[in-house]
């Protein structure tokens, strides 16, 4: 027998029976759609208590510190899989066979180049333009290059779009960096792995050969896996909301990038490095710890705690280990800034104030350190996040359009403006 909830009104209006839905995991959800027929809506700023869709892609349990992609724990995927396999999993729901993976990788490689005229889009920006501004614009501009009678309700055409985006966004990200640096664009090398190819486009020049460091390439691939999807966060919800209108998918992905750019979302790891720069020296850590504990200071220790996870972020455990691997490979354990970061981590992990509030170092704390160690500037940090999250965005967009019950997004509001007013002619205003 299906459970229901009864909504009773204090003014004597008839009660309303609301069905209770239960997913594979997670808390029960009250289906409130029947309220609209009775003239009521719910109010939930930030949508923190509202389910907007059914999804079989990602599951998070913040209290227990769990993150599953299609039922697979993130720990297993990070250590046993690679980003291409995880991208296939997010899109198709199952891990690929050897033949399926080979075909998928070949398809991605087929789409890595950008249309030659897209160079003109890059060259329209100032050289000091933020890489995310360039990425948002260039990704949106793809809708002008790949618009040929697209039928987004055709699964095969959606698959082509997904492959194009997963393949081309690394090229867009790398070229955004190159343009910012005043260096020539480097074309993709399809003989390389996904992460190696991105490193090649970022760091190689026509002057000399470049071979990606395999330890760093594996670390980057692992970071891409950890950031590939994260349930209905702000940017994913933006992609779904834009896509619900039937908008061009490239424009939808650009809208997700724009949302991700915010410092409360994808810009968090950049904020960590800015905080470390502000500290300047390991001797000032106690001062910053004290400021974080003082509620009146308005200071927040960046890279600690998470809105969703009330336990340690499962991705943070993995990326912490990866961070040390990268620092060892590059012989940076004794670098002053990295020593400062590691000391801040140690103090916070031992301090009762942070432990009792479950303010553990999160994935943004470590990813920023890894990126800087690899020579990736802070302005590119959010671009790296967008690159990794593209697989999740296209999987969520594809899932939404596959659902026959999907509708255009249309949130409600509580109107708090003026009541009806009469128009006053200009000559009588202020009289």
């Amino acid at each position: 027998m299906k459970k229901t909830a009864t909504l009773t009104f204090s003014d004597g209006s008839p009660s309303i029976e609301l069905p209770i839905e239960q997913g594979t995991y997670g808390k029960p959800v009250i289906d409130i759609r029947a309220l609209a027929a009775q003239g009521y809506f719910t109010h939930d700023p930030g949508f923190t208590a509202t389910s907007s869709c059914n999804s079989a892609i990602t599951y998070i349990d913040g209290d227990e510190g769990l993150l599953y992609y299609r039922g697979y724990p993130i720990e297993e995927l990070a250590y046993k899989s690679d980003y291409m396999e995880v991208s296939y999993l997010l899109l198709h729901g199952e891990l690929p066979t050897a033949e399926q993976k080979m075909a998928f990788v070949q398809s991605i490689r087929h789409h890595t180049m950008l249309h030659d005229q897209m160079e003109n889009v890059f060259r329209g920006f100032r050289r000091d333009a933020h890489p995310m501004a360039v990425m948002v614009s260039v990704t949106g501009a793809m809708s002008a290059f790949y618009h040929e009678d697209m039928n987004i309700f055709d699964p095969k055409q959606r698959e082509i779009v997904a492959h194009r985006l997963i393949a081309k966004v690394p090229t867009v990200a790398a070229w955004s960096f190159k343009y910012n640096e005043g260096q020539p664009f480097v074309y993709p090398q399809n003989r390389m792995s996904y992460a190696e190819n991105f490193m090649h486009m970022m760091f190689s020049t026509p002057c000399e050969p470049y071979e990606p460091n395999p330890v760093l390439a594996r670390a980057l691939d692992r970071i891409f896996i950890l950031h590939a999807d994260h349930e209905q966060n702000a940017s994913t919800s933006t992609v779904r909301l834009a896509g619900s209108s039937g908008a061009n998918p490239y424009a939808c992905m650009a809208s997700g990038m724009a949302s991700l750019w915010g410092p409360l979302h994808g810009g968090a790891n950049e904020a960590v490095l800015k905080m470390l720069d502000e500290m300047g020296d390991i001797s000032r850590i106690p001062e910053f710890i004290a400021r974080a504990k003082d509620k009146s200071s308005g200071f927040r220790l960046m890279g600690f705690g998470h809105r969703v996870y009330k336990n340690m972020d499962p991705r943070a455990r993995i990326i912490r280990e990866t961070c040390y691997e990268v620092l060892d490979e590059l012989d940076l354990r004794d670098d002053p800034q990295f020593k400062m970061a590691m000391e801040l981590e140690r103090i916070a992990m031992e301090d009762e104030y942070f432990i009792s509030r479950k303010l553990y170092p999160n994935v943004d704390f470590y990813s920023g350190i890894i990126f800087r160690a690899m020579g990736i500037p802070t302005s590119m940090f959010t671009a790296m996040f967008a690159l990794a999250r593209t697989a999740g965005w296209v999987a969520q967009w594809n899932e939404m359009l596959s659902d026959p019950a999907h509708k255009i997004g249309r949130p409600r509001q509580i109107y708090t403006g003026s009541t009806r007013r009469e128009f006053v002619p200009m000559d009588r205003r202020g009289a």
Side-chain angles (χ1 to χ4, degrees), residues 75-123:
E75 297 86 350
E76 292 196 15
L77 294 172
Y79 289 113
K80 298 177 181 178
S81 188
D82 61 41
Y83 184 70
M84 283 288 88
E85 190 168 60
V86 168
S87 297
Y88 184 98
L89 172 68
L90 293 174
L91 277 169
H92 298 286
E94 300 292 342
L95 289 169
T97 63
E99 292 77 17
Q100 287 170 333
K101 184 182 179 184
M102 184 181 297
F104 180 71
V105 170
Q106 283 300 109
S107 179
I108 298 300
R109 287 174 173 169
H110 175 73
H111 290 293
T112 53
M113 285 186 63
L114 299 180
H115 192 289
D116 188 60
Q117 281 190 290
M118 293 197 78
E119 282 198 30
N120 298 329
V121 180
F122 282 92
R123 299 191 191 283

Side-chain angles (χ1 to χ4, degrees), residues 180-201:
N180 195 258
E181 293 289 299
Q183 295 182 11
F185 297 138
V186 175
Y187 286 90
Q189 290 291 320
N190 291 340
R191 62 181 172 82
M192 294 181 174
S193 73
Y194 193 83
E196 288 173 341
N197 186 37
F198 176 71
M199 293 172 67
H200 165 77
M201 290 189 289

Side-chain angles (χ1 to χ4, degrees), residues 339-357:
K339 285 182 73 173
M340 182 168 58
M342 295 304 103
E343 178 64 10
L344 179 61
E345 174 206 51
R346 184 192 66 78
I347 292 174
M349 292 286 278
E350 295 175 358
D351 192 301
E352 182 57 32
Y353 177 88
F354 294 95
I355 295 171
S356 63
R357 290 165 175 76

Side-chain angles (χ1 to χ4, degrees), residues 57-59 67-90 94-96 101 218 221-229 318:
I57 298 173
T58 302
Y59 171 72
L67 171 59
Y68 297 164
Y69 292 166
R70 299 286 193 178
Y72 292 97
I74 192 65
E75 297 86 350
E76 292 196 15
L77 294 172
Y79 289 113
K80 298 177 181 178
S81 188
D82 61 41
Y83 184 70
M84 283 288 88
E85 190 168 60
V86 168
S87 297
Y88 184 98
L89 172 68
L90 293 174
E94 300 292 342
L95 289 169
K101 184 182 179 184
R218 178 55 187 152
D221 191 80
R222 192 174 291 162
I223 290 173
F224 291 164
I225 291 171
L226 298 178
H227 285 93
D229 197 56
I318 302 163

